[in-house]
Amino acid sequence: MTHHYAPETGAPQRRWGALVARFVSAGVDVSVLTPPPHYPSGTLAPGSAELRPGTVSRGAHGERIIRVHYREHTTGLVSRTADHLVAAISSIGLGLRRLRRRTHRPTVVIGTVPGIPSMFAAWALARIFRAALVVEMRDAWPDLIRPSGIMTGSLAQRRPGRAFATTLAHRVITRLQSRADLVVTTTETFADVLRSRGARNVAVVRNGTAFPVVSRPVVVPGTDLEPRPFRVVYAGTLGRSQGLEVAVRAAAVVESRGLPIEVRIVGAGNDAAQLAALARSLGAPVTVGPPIPHTEIEALYEWADTLVVSLRDWEPFQWTVPSKLYEVMASGHHVTACVAGESAELVLALEAGDVVPPGDVEALANLWAGYAESGVAPVASRAASAWVAIHANDDVLAATYLALLDDLAR
């Protein structure tokens, strides 16, 4: 049960596309309850009329895809949450109707988060079918509820009811996690947090990456940047969680020091227009553009001297490792990591690049200014891509997941 699935593109869609392909290949009968493709626009994707709610089709890997109802939404949190609720409720109804035949009845029900309501719909279907319940937490929920503002917004103190709702949601989600037969996380740090709260069976299945792993440095050590500027790239989601205004402001600071720098930010998300406006207001050497096809990502990375991975300074993000970091490390390029916690430890341990505190404009500007002034491109260690080849390998991750599910199905 997932709110995001192919033919949409993104980290959740890629993760479950890779897992389902290997589950089906191993002989598992997989049914997917998911809305029609409508991410990130909030409206039905062009050419998807045949995937309307209520339809059942076969996916690219032979899986059974049951399309559930959804609600067209804007970029606002309330609107998107309403969409998640509609899909979750519809998943219960359509799941009960389409999976009640003996040949389709599930032995394991997986609810992958976000959206958060998916985990409650998965719990309901697991109870109905007397199946094992797996709750997959790809991010540090419920802890992200408060800093993200998903329920409190900026009026928390003026509207105490919202603060109460946040506390209640935290307790309810934590209770469901503790009652699940298995909770799957993508990092060891968050797994430990959930165990400390009473989750009885927690396992780690990291995110993978489809990016071709490079076994050697892309940039030759000592590469001279002259006469061109130092080049920085961010490619991915342009949302509130990423806090990419730090990159725009840092680029403006570097240029104000008379040092040549060029930053390219590409992607889609709620903050795209704000980032572009900020770059214009500061006169920063930053271009903000729409997403580019996956086939063009490698060329964009080749153009860059460093690739940015950024998260806000929220405590729950110390327990997560974004899938974008695995992609960047696989590429063999130097990473500028504006992160803390497990992500920062990984970058430093593997010498994948440099770490600066999230949101620290001065530290980031000093880092980039140092490279621009030296005229020498930074280089990542071979250890980073080698680690990804082992620990973010889709075959290994799917085998680990299947072993966990086999234990539940016995």
Side-chain angles (χ1 to χ4, degrees):
M1 200 169 296
T2 176
H3 201 79
H4 305 287
Y5 201 69
E8 293 175 350
T9 58
Q13 298 90 328
R14 200 217 72 82
R15 174 179 173 86
W16 274 101
L19 290 172
V20 166
R22 289 157 178 82
F23 287 5
V24 172
S25 179
V28 178
D29 180 42
V30 179
S31 296
V32 181
L33 287 156
T34 189
H38 66 295
Y39 174 84
S41 68
T43 58
L44 186 66
S48 301
E50 74 281 3
L51 303 179
R52 65 188 181 280
T55 59
V56 181
S57 60
R58 287 288 173 183
H61 315 296
E63 73 274 28
R64 183 184 304 104
I65 303 179
I66 302 166
R67 297 290 175 176
V68 304
H69 292 273
Y70 71 103
R71 178 184 181 276
E72 290 190 356
H73 62 81
T74 65
T75 58
L77 287 173
V78 174
S79 181
R80 284 184 290 150
T81 301
D83 173 42
H84 291 170
L85 285 169
V86 169
I89 294 170
S90 178
S91 293
I92 298 172
L94 285 171
L96 180 59
R97 187 193 316 168
R98 298 292 188 179
L99 301 176
R100 65 196 319 168
R101 290 172 51 188
R102 183 179 298 273
T103 54
H104 294 164
R105 287 176 68 91
T107 53
V108 177
V109 177
I110 303 173
T112 180
V113 180
I116 293 175
S118 295
M119 65 189 294
F120 296 98
W123 171 81
L125 281 185
R127 290 292 297 271
I128 291 170
F129 290 121
R130 297 184 179 181
L133 171 64
V134 177
V135 172
E136 180 181 84
M137 311 303 299
R138 294 195 309 268
D139 292 307
W141 300 99
D143 301 82
L144 280 172
I145 291 177
R146 194 177 301 276
S148 69
I150 193 171
M151 297 187 73
T152 59
S154 61
L155 303 177
Q157 294 181 353
R158 290 165 54 188
R159 298 187 181 181
R162 292 189 178 183
F164 171 76
T166 299
T167 300
L168 179 62
H170 195 289
R171 290 177 179 173
V172 171
I173 292 171
T174 298
R175 180 171 176 79
L176 184 54
Q177 289 168 338
S178 67
R179 298 183 66 179
D181 296 288
L182 172 67
V183 180
V184 173
T185 75
T186 59
T187 65
E188 295 288 352
T189 309
F190 190 47
D192 288 339
V193 170
L194 293 179
R195 292 186 188 107
S196 71
R197 294 175 180 167
R200 51 200 171 102
N201 186 15
V202 185
V204 177
V205 181
R206 291 184 178 272
N207 284 313
T209 179
F211 203 93
V213 175
V214 175
S215 59
R216 58 180 175 76
V218 175
V219 180
V220 177
T223 297
D224 195 342
L225 298 179
E226 295 293 343
R228 64 174 177 79
F230 182 64
R231 296 171 175 172
V232 180
V233 160
Y234 173 85
T237 303
L238 310 183
R240 189 181 179 204
S241 297
Q242 286 69 42
L244 290 167
E245 64 273 7
V246 66
V248 177
R249 295 185 184 280
V253 171
V254 173
E255 186 178 62
S256 72
R257 298 178 185 176
L259 297 170
I261 186 171
E262 186 175 352
V263 178
R264 292 184 61 185
I265 298 175
V266 299
N270 296 342
D271 283 5
Q274 296 175 19
L275 291 170
L278 178 62
R280 289 193 298 270
S281 68
L282 296 176
V286 178
T287 58
V288 180
I292 64 174
H294 188 73
T295 53
E296 298 178 14
I297 288 291
E298 287 189 59
L300 178 64
Y301 282 7
E302 290 290 340
W303 177 87
D305 296 310
T306 188
L307 306 176
V308 174
V309 175
S310 178
L311 291 172
R312 285 197 183 276
D313 189 19
W314 296 345
E315 183 183 12
F317 282 152
Q318 296 182 26
W319 312 332
T320 61
V321 177
S323 56
K324 177 59 63 176
L325 180 57
Y326 296 140
E327 176 182 303
V328 170
M329 292 196 303
S331 75
H333 285 79
H334 175 276
V335 57
T336 292
C338 305
V339 297
E342 187 166 335
S343 295
E345 292 168 4
L346 194 61
V347 171
L348 294 174
L350 297 173
E351 299 181 344
D354 291 291
V355 174
V356 297
D360 192 330
V361 174
E362 193 67 20
L364 184 58
N366 289 340
L367 174 68
W368 288 346
Y371 286 120
E373 192 168 26
S374 72
V376 178
V379 181
S381 165
R382 291 180 176 88
S385 56
W387 186 93
V388 171
I390 297 171
H391 297 279
N393 181 290
D394 286 328
D395 291 331
V396 174
L397 298 174
T400 300
Y401 218 132
L402 273 176
L404 293 168
L405 300 183
D406 283 341
D407 287 342
L408 294 179
R410 289 197 181 107

